[in-house]
Amino acid sequence: MILNCEQLYMVTQNPRINDISLELLREYYELYLNPYIYKYKIINNKKDKKVVTNIELRFDKNNFCHLLGIENTLRHSVNKEDLFTYVGQAGWDNIKNEILDFKFIKGKNKLGFNNNKSRYVFFYLIPKLVDHPKGILYDASKVMGLTLVDCELLFYDEYQNAYIHIGIKEDKDLGYYIPKTFLIEKITEHSDGRKYINKQDKIIVTSKKGLIN
């Protein structure tokens, strides 16, 4: 069983769902993502010129529940007026106070919980991904099939026989980029896992991480 964040960070294979908890993932986010500013130089080699952009990415506490898809899982399973307590800062606080956990989510929507398990068990890889990501300029029209993914840039890499992705987008009010989506595409006999990567414009990403003052 995974007992703490340090052990989770060091694992070499995905944990089992029974070996982690929503509170452990919250603590992990608080330790390995929330304290940092990720500064990236984005190089887009267009046909006629090279475009260089510098951006900052932060993982605020109110992004945590969204990344794990908790709102989507509970959207039609709790009273509409109560949904806000499971998202954003309120969701974060309720996880910390042991009000919101895997048992609660599973009890409200067992199928949705099971369909979302990959996000929970791959979550520990996000700090490794954002430290040294590969990247694309994301264009939803280039993705085969219907997609609701809304982001400007998609960071990705291959881990544990799957492609994991963090979609990011600039928040004009905050003045920096925030994570908008966490996607897992497993590599199978029928899929190369590159649904969101193929046909997209690749970018060169160099990164530097620093603590938020």
Side-chain angles (χ1 to χ4, degrees), residues 80-129:
K80 185 177 180 180
E81 59 269 24
D82 294 334
L83 185 61
F84 80 95
T85 63
Y86 309 120
V87 300
Q89 184 66 48
W92 174 276
D93 293 339
N94 279 329
I95 295 169
K96 190 173 183 178
N97 294 328
E98 301 181 347
I99 296 170
L100 176 59
D101 55 19
F102 285 160
K103 183 178 179 180
F104 177 88
I105 297 172
K106 191 174 182 179
K108 293 294 183 180
N109 185 355
K110 184 176 181 180
L111 178 60
F113 175 82
N114 289 335
N115 288 340
N116 203 45
K117 276 184 183 179
S118 58
R119 289 198 191 191
Y120 303 137
V121 299
F122 279 88
F123 190 83
Y124 75 102
L125 290 166
I126 295 179
K128 298 179 175 66
L129 170 64

Side-chain angles (χ1 to χ4, degrees), residues 56-71:
E56 290 186 0
L57 170 65
R58 300 190 190 189
F59 288 82
D60 296 337
K61 292 178 180 178
N62 59 10
N63 300 135
F64 174 73
C65 290
H66 181 72
L67 280 182
L68 283 176
I70 293 173
E71 180 178 2

Side-chain angles (χ1 to χ4, degrees), residues 25 34 43 51 56 98 121 150 171 176 196-197:
L25 297 184
N34 176 248
I43 302 175
V51 179
E56 290 186 0
E98 301 181 347
V121 299
D150 175 29
D171 187 303
Y176 51 83
Y196 296 100
I197 304 167

Side-chain angles (χ1 to χ4, degrees), residues 155-167:
F155 291 162
Y156 70 93
D157 211 337
E158 182 181 348
Y159 299 94
Q160 303 293 344
N161 205 37
Y163 280 92
I164 69 169
H165 320 67
I166 286 288

Side-chain angles (χ1 to χ4, degrees), residues 151-193:
C151 64
E152 297 173 20
L153 304 174
L154 201 63
F155 291 162
Y156 70 93
D157 211 337
E158 182 181 348
Y159 299 94
Q160 303 293 344
N161 205 37
Y163 280 92
I164 69 169
H165 320 67
I166 286 288
I168 68 173
K169 188 174 183 178
E170 185 178 13
D171 187 303
K172 300 292 186 181
D173 294 330
L174 294 173
Y176 51 83
Y177 279 70
I178 60 172
K180 294 292 292 182
T181 190
F182 175 42
L183 303 168
I184 299 96
E185 284 290 312
K186 295 181 180 180
I187 300 170
T188 68
E189 180 181 352
H190 304 291
S191 173
D192 63 3

